[in-house]
Structures are given as structure tokens and as C-alpha cells.
Amino acid sequence: MSKEFQFISNVSPGSSGWTVKVVVVEKFSPRIAQKSPTKYQNLILMDTEGSTVQATLYGQNITAFQDQLTLENTYLVSNAMVKITNPEYRAKSGEVQWIISGRTRIRKVEENNSNLIMSTYTFTDFEDFPNYMDSNIDISVAGMIIDIKPRRIIQTRYGKECQVQDLVLINKKYDIYIYFTPYTFLFI
């Protein structure tokens, strides 16, 4: 494999012969698609420039790659299918996504890039939570979950049922919040 690596921003649909060194910065749980029975799993990969791309595994590839592409590890990735993402399914990481399949080459690199991951987050203080309650803005929180309540079903304001789970968080100042997924925070 070549020592020359591209950056995520240089890889587009139709690109071939590319290799990008990436860190797995987010790995979501597998889910079932809304409009089909297909199971999928999304990951967010970051290169050393700080650019990110959404990578997606489908069906049996989720199991095939479960021991690879682990959170905070660095990999050389090549030969993933690159496609324009439908705006309806677009994550925060841009217009293209990589489809990871059996044809994708992945090789783990023994590097510690946790500082790169942490440099991408801006943490929100607990007391600022009310500013985000009625928005769709993603926030990052530094805290510890001290209790996880049982899942329950609620009715949304649109008449749809939604499964929620309450988490109790504590920060380093010993402030405690109950987070009612997916909607609200309550300061204690």
C-alpha cells in the first residue's frame, strides 16, 4: 500500500485508487431503515485535517466489520463506494458518504489520535442546556451518567409514539441533570 494518503475532501464519487487515513470519531448503533427492512449502521470518520465523512455499513457487513472500525482507532481505508448522500439522510458530515462493503480495504494503524477527536468538540455547560431545548442543534456534554431509567413509550406532539429513556447526568461541579431522551433536560 502506498505511503501517499488523500484527505477526505479529495475523495468524490468516481474517485479510484485512493487511500485515506481516518479515525473513527462516532459509531452509531445499527438501525432498521424507515422505508425498508434493511439494517444499517453509520459511522463518522475524520482525517488528520479534521474533515469528516459519514460511512455506512448495510446488512451482513455490520457483523462482518464489527471487530474493525472501532471508536477512536485509526485506519487506512480504500475502495469504499463513494456516493452523493440524499439530503433527507445527510448527516452533519457533508454531501458524500462512503459505503463500506466486502470490497473495502481496511487496515488498522497503531496511532493514538484521541487528541484529534477531542479537538473537534466544544462542550456545553449544563447551565446552558435551556438555550438548546427547542432547537435541532447538536451539543456535546462532558459529564457522567449516574443512572439510566427504564425505556418507556410517549406520545409526541404530532401523535406519533416514541420510545424514550431518561438518563441522569452529573458534571464535575456536581450539578445533576435528568435528560429525557430525545427531548428535554431537567435541572435538579
Side-chain angles (χ1 to χ4, degrees):
M1 206 173 270
S2 170
K3 298 266 187 213
E4 294 290 319
F5 308 117
Q6 282 83 28
F7 293 108
I8 289 170
S9 59
N10 297 14
V11 177
S12 59
S15 297
S16 62
W18 55 267
T19 299
V20 178
K21 187 190 303 185
V22 295
V23 178
V24 180
V25 294
E26 293 185 54
K27 187 170 184 177
F28 301 92
S29 297
R31 303 181 78 175
I32 295 176
Q34 290 181 3
K35 298 178 182 175
S36 77
T38 305
K39 200 171 190 181
Y40 70 95
Q41 182 175 24
N42 288 329
L43 300 99
I44 303 297
L45 308 176
M46 179 186 292
D47 64 20
T48 55
E49 281 188 324
S51 297
T52 59
V53 66
Q54 175 182 312
T56 305
L57 299 142
Y58 290 100
Q60 293 181 348
N61 288 318
I62 296 169
T63 305
F65 288 96
Q66 71 184 2
D67 295 330
Q68 292 182 325
L69 296 172
T70 55
L71 201 57
E72 297 185 13
N73 285 322
T74 304
Y75 298 90
L76 298 178
V77 177
S78 28
N79 205 34
M81 183 172 73
V82 182
K83 71 175 207 169
I84 301 290
T85 307
N86 180 335
E88 183 180 351
Y89 305 112
R90 197 169 284 166
K92 60 186 174 188
S93 57
E95 296 181 4
V96 299
Q97 76 179 102
W98 297 354
I99 307 301
I100 307 290
S101 69
R103 295 177 48 198
T104 307
R105 288 188 309 257
I106 299 172
R107 190 177 71 169
K108 187 174 180 182
V109 178
E110 295 300 328
E111 288 183 6
N112 182 352
N113 286 303
S114 57
N115 59 337
L116 179 67
I117 296 168
M118 293 309 290
S119 71
T120 64
Y121 290 100
T122 302
F123 293 104
T124 301
D125 288 331
F126 280 16
E127 57 263 17
D128 293 331
F129 285 176
N131 299 334
Y132 298 97
M133 285 180 68
D134 292 325
S135 72
N136 287 329
I137 297 171
D138 289 335
I139 62 171
S140 298
V141 178
M144 182 171 39
I145 297 172
I146 59 172
D147 193 15
I148 300 174
K149 305 294 184 183
R151 291 180 189 215
R152 57 192 170 94
I153 305 282
I154 64 165
Q155 188 96 16
T156 68
R157 62 180 137 201
Y158 305 108
K160 196 174 181 184
E161 284 189 350
C162 180
Q163 192 175 84
V164 298
Q165 188 167 22
D166 304 339
L167 308 174
V168 180
L169 307 173
I170 190 167
N171 67 7
K172 64 183 176 183
K173 296 185 222 172
Y174 299 104
D175 294 330
I176 297 176
Y177 272 86
I178 299 177
Y179 175 54
F180 302 98
T181 59
Y183 297 110
T184 57
F185 288 97
L186 174 66
F187 182 68
I188 297 180

